[in-house]
Amino acid sequence: MRAESVGGLLGAIVAAAVLGAAFYYVPVGPMARTMQPARVEVPPTQVQTVPVAPAAPVRGPVVREVPN
């Protein structure tokens, strides 16, 4: 057997395995629509707001002299 035919055979085996896994793990047809998670209602909670002091202004570096 030549290397090309061996590569083609191995490629076909891998493709068949991937296709089989896709059909096994992914529901097809009407089954896909019924597998939705149930909705859970969460009661609203009150959040207390605390006044925050303003942050100090951020200052950049000071350049004393600029070379010519």
Side-chain angles (χ1 to χ4, degrees):
M1 293 182 79
R2 294 186 324 200
E4 292 176 359
S5 62
V6 172
L9 180 64
L10 291 177
I13 292 172
V14 170
V18 169
L19 187 61
F23 277 108
Y24 181 75
Y25 287 113
V26 178
V28 180
M31 291 174 42
R33 295 186 193 110
T34 60
M35 296 181 65
Q36 295 177 354
R39 293 186 180 181
V40 178
E41 292 187 24
V42 178
T45 59
Q46 292 183 349
V47 178
Q48 290 182 336
T49 58
V50 178
V52 178
V58 178
R59 301 176 78 185
V62 178
V63 179
R64 303 256 181 219
E65 294 181 14
V66 179
N68 289 334

